[in-house]
Amino acid sequence: MSAALVLAQAKIQGPAIDWSGLSPLIALLGGATLVLMVGLVRARVAREVLVPLLAIASFAVAIGLAIGQLGDDTNLIARAMRLDELTVVLTLIFCTGGIAAVLLSWRSIAVREASHGEFYALLLTSAAGMFVLVAATNLVTLFLGLELLSIPLYVLCATEMRRSASLESGLKYLIIGSVGSATLLYGLAFVYGATGVTDYAAIASKVGGVAGDPLLLTGIALTLAGMGFKASVAPFHQWTPDVYEGAPTPITAFMAVATKTAALGVMLRFFDVALIDVSNDWAPAMAALATITIVVGNVGAIGQSSLKRLMAWSSVAQAGYMLAGVVVSTRLGLQATVFYLAVYLFMNMAAFGVIVARERSTPFGDDIRSVMGLGADQPLLAAALTLAMLGLAGIPATAGFIGKFYLIDAAISGDYTWLGVVIVIGSMVSLAYYLRVIAAMWMQAPATVDAPPVAAATGRPALAGGDAAADAPRAQPEVWLVTLVFAAATLFFGIIPQPLFDLAVRAGQAIGGLL
C-alpha cells in the first residue's frame, strides 16, 4: 500500500515543450476550434462573414508568429519537432495558400453545403498537420503530421455533397491516400527496424553502418513511394487528375500548393538529413522518378480540355522539377526547392483564381471554353492567367523562370547535368498546353452554349461542376483580389527575386550544416 502511495505522489516528468516555438501550431488549432464554435451561431452574418474572417485571421496570426520565430533554431518537444528557418518559410507558404483558399471559397457552394464552421475548421486543421509534418524530426511525428494533414482533405474534397464528382473525388482520395499512408508507414517501420531509432539525427548517425542492408533499402523505397503519393510523383500520381477535377476548386487550389509544399518539405528534411549518408542508394532512383514524373505530367496535360485536369497534370510535372532539388542533396538544391515552392504558390493561385471566377460566371464549368474570348471581355483576368501560364512554363520575366533556372543550376552543380537537361526539355514541351490556354483567351471568340457542355473526363454536364447557377449574379471581389495579387507577385518576383532568394537561403542554412 505504501509503495502505491509513493508512486501516486511521484511527479511524472514530461518532455520539455517550447510553447513559443509551437505558437503557429497553437494558432491554427485554436483558430479551428474558434471557427467551429462560431459556425454554430444561427445568425447568417456570423456564418457567412465572421467565420471566414476568423479563418483568415487564424492563418495571419500563424504567419505573424512564424515570422517572429525567424532566426530561432530550437527543438520543440523532446527532439520530436524542430523549429528552424525551413519550418518557418514553409509555414509562410502554406498559410498564405490557406488565406487564398478561404477567399476563393467565400461564396462557393461547398461552404454552404458542408456548413461554414466545419469547412474552415477542416482547412485550418489540415494546415496544422502541414506544420507538424515539415517540423517533424522523428518518424512517429512525421506519420502523425501526415495523417493530420490528410484526413481533413479527404472530407473537404467531398464537401459539394449534391455533386457526384465531388463525392467521387473524396472517396478516391481517401482510398488512394490510405494506400499511400500505409506504404509510408511500412517504409518507416523498415527504416526503424534497420537502425533501431526513430530520431532523424540518430538515424543519420547509424545508416552508414547498415548501408546496403536490404531492410534499410526496402524501407527507403517504401518511404519514397509513400511520400510520392502526397507529392503527386509518377507513377504514384494516378489519383491527381480525378481528385483535382472533382474537388471544389478552392480546395483543389489549396491541395495543389499546400500539400505539395508539405510533401516536398518533409522529403527535404528526411532524405537530405536522416538518409544523407546513403544518398548514393536513393538519389539515382529519385532522379529516375523525377524524369518519369516530368515526362508523364507534361505529356498527360497536352490533350486536356478541363482546366482543372490540365493544372493537375501540370502539378505532376512541377513535382518532377522540384524533386531535382531533393536529389542533389546540397544546400543549393534545398534552397532551389524552397524558392520554387514559393513561386509555385503565386502562379498556381493566380491560375485557380481565374478558374473559380469563370466557373461562377459561365455555363462551361472548368472547361477551356470558359476562358475563350476572356482577353476582350475581362482583360485583367486574362492578363493574370497569362502570367500564371507563362510562369509555369518558365518564360523569362516571370518568377517561374527564376525558379527553374535555380533548380537547373542546383542539378548541374550536384553532378546531375542530365536532369537539368530534362527540366529544360520538359519546360519546352509544356508550352504546348500552356500556350493553348493563352491562345483561347486572346485569339478565340467567346464560346456559345448550343447544348450543355460536357466535361471531358466525367461525361457529365460541366455546369454541374461549377458555381455558375448560384453565383453568377454576385460580384466576386475576393476572387479578383487573390487572382490579381498573386499574378502581380509572379511578375514582381520574376523581375526582383532577391527577397525570395534571401528567404530560400535562410531555409537552406537551417539544415545546411548537415548536408
Side-chain angles (χ1 to χ4, degrees), residues 250-466:
I251 298 305
T252 302
F254 181 71
M255 289 172 57
V257 172
T259 305
K260 202 172 296 294
T261 299
L264 268 296
V266 73
M267 290 177 79
L268 284 170
R269 200 185 291 274
F270 183 70
F271 285 98
D272 288 347
V273 174
L275 301 179
I276 186 67
D277 287 340
V278 290
S279 61
N280 289 336
D281 292 329
W282 56 260
M286 189 180 288
L289 281 181
T291 303
I292 294 169
T293 304
I294 291 170
V295 173
V296 168
N298 284 313
V299 172
I302 290 175
Q304 301 300 324
S305 60
S306 162
L307 292 176
K308 287 167 72 173
R309 290 184 73 87
L310 185 148
M311 293 299 294
W313 285 105
S314 167
S315 79
V316 173
Q318 303 291 331
Y321 302 143
M322 287 183 265
L323 269 187
V326 184
V327 167
V328 297
S329 305
T330 63
R331 182 185 296 186
L332 182 60
L334 188 152
Q335 293 169 2
T337 304
V338 171
F339 182 92
Y340 200 85
L341 284 169
V343 301
Y344 185 66
L345 163 71
F346 304 141
M347 300 180 295
N348 244 37
M349 281 301 176
F352 277 107
V354 176
I355 295 172
V356 169
R358 299 305 288 174
E359 270 187 337
R360 296 178 184 175
S361 58
T362 75
F364 296 105
D366 66 310
D367 192 271
I368 194 170
R369 287 175 290 180
S370 65
V371 298
M372 286 183 178
L374 187 60
D377 184 28
Q378 294 176 318
L380 278 179
L381 282 184
L385 186 55
T386 300
L387 281 172
M389 294 292 107
L390 293 178
L392 289 167
I395 300 299
T398 65
F401 170 76
I402 304 296
K404 285 185 179 175
F405 190 86
Y406 209 171
L407 287 169
I408 292 168
D409 183 29
I412 294 173
S413 300
D415 295 328
Y416 278 90
T417 303
W418 63 270
L419 188 54
V421 174
V422 172
I423 294 174
V424 173
I425 295 173
S427 299
M428 293 169 60
V429 173
S430 70
L431 288 171
Y433 54 92
Y434 290 133
L435 291 181
R436 186 160 61 91
V437 176
I438 296 173
M441 290 188 292
W442 297 101
M443 302 174 67
Q444 295 185 22
T448 56
V449 184
D450 297 324
V454 175
T458 62
R460 291 182 289 270
L463 181 58

Side-chain angles (χ1 to χ4, degrees), residues 10-29:
K11 292 184 178 179
I12 299 174
Q13 190 68 31
I17 299 177
D18 184 345
W19 293 105
S20 174
L22 279 175
S23 57
L25 177 63
I26 295 170
L28 292 170
L29 292 176

